[in-house]
Amino acid sequence: MQSSQPLRLLKTIISPELKDNPALPIALTVLRVAVGIFMVHNGLDKLADIEGFAAAYVEVIGLPFPIFFSYVAAFTELLGAPLLALGLFTRPAALGLMGTMLVAMYHHILVAGLSLPYLELSGVYASVFAFFLVNGAGKFSVDRFLNAWLGKLIANRTLRRLESLETSYQASDAEVTEVESTSK
């Protein structure tokens, strides 16, 4: 009888299931941190020449208040990218970053049409941010620790509330029993 190891290896290689892969949390953490770190320079580039960015990008797509929206984009990237890298408030950070990339894609389409070289980088970034918006930061993140802490806090408060309700119920039950015994 032949060993089934080669078949198991092949099954693992082609498995579409992410949940069974023990390396998945590490890979997602590497992706999240890398994309977060790489994205910071976009915000810095915008701030380095805010008027130039406003004229070349924001005015071209017809947004009002181009300087204001240039600052919004720059600070979204400068604040959102490190938050994403840390896995802290990942979903809101990913939403903001995805928004900046969708606007960048719109700009590229207006300027160059559906040219893949122009759309490639912003499209990849937007896709990665969409993934983290939907799935969250993953196992190795600040969000996970905050989530666990909040879960314990909510459970403790719920337990205290239940204990308080039980005490109130017992007190009211005792009053009813006392009234019933005195009325007989």
Side-chain angles (χ1 to χ4, degrees):
M1 193 170 199
Q2 291 184 342
S3 171
S4 60
Q5 281 301 101
L7 291 176
R8 284 190 184 135
L9 179 61
L10 178 61
K11 185 178 181 316
T12 300
I13 291 170
I14 65 170
S15 173
E17 297 298 319
L18 297 176
K19 65 181 178 180
D20 296 333
N21 186 345
L24 180 65
I26 297 167
L28 292 178
T29 301
V30 169
L31 176 64
R32 191 188 74 240
V33 170
V35 169
I37 291 170
F38 294 148
M39 193 66 191
V40 170
H41 85 87
N42 288 310
L44 292 173
D45 287 349
K46 287 172 183 63
L47 285 181
D49 183 13
I50 204 77
E51 289 86 8
F53 177 80
Y57 292 93
V58 181
E59 288 177 13
V60 170
I61 62 174
L63 284 176
F65 314 110
I67 297 291
F68 170 76
F69 282 111
S70 295
Y71 277 114
V72 168
F75 284 111
T76 297
E77 292 168 358
L78 284 173
L79 297 173
L83 288 174
L84 186 83
L86 290 170
L88 175 61
F89 303 117
T90 303
R91 286 188 171 99
L95 178 63
L97 292 167
M98 186 178 75
T100 64
M101 291 300 100
L102 291 175
V103 171
M105 291 174 68
Y106 178 67
H107 172 267
H108 295 317
I109 290 169
L110 284 180
V111 170
L114 293 174
S115 173
L116 289 181
Y118 285 98
L119 290 169
E120 180 180 7
L121 186 58
S122 55
V124 169
Y125 271 129
S127 300
V128 171
F129 298 143
F131 175 86
F132 286 111
L133 173 63
V134 170
N135 292 291
K139 187 175 184 176
F140 303 115
S141 65
V142 177
D143 284 348
R144 180 178 171 126
F145 294 111
L146 287 176
N147 192 0
W149 175 75
L150 286 172
K152 289 177 185 175
L153 186 68
I154 291 167
N156 287 338
R157 286 186 179 188
T158 303
L159 182 60
R160 278 188 258 135
R161 179 73 177 136
L162 286 172
E163 289 169 350
S164 171
L165 288 171
E166 179 65 26
T167 303
S168 297
Y169 174 75
Q170 289 172 353
S172 68
D173 194 37
E175 288 176 20
V176 168
T177 304
E178 183 180 319
V179 169
E180 287 176 351
S181 67
T182 57
S183 65
K184 290 184 181 180

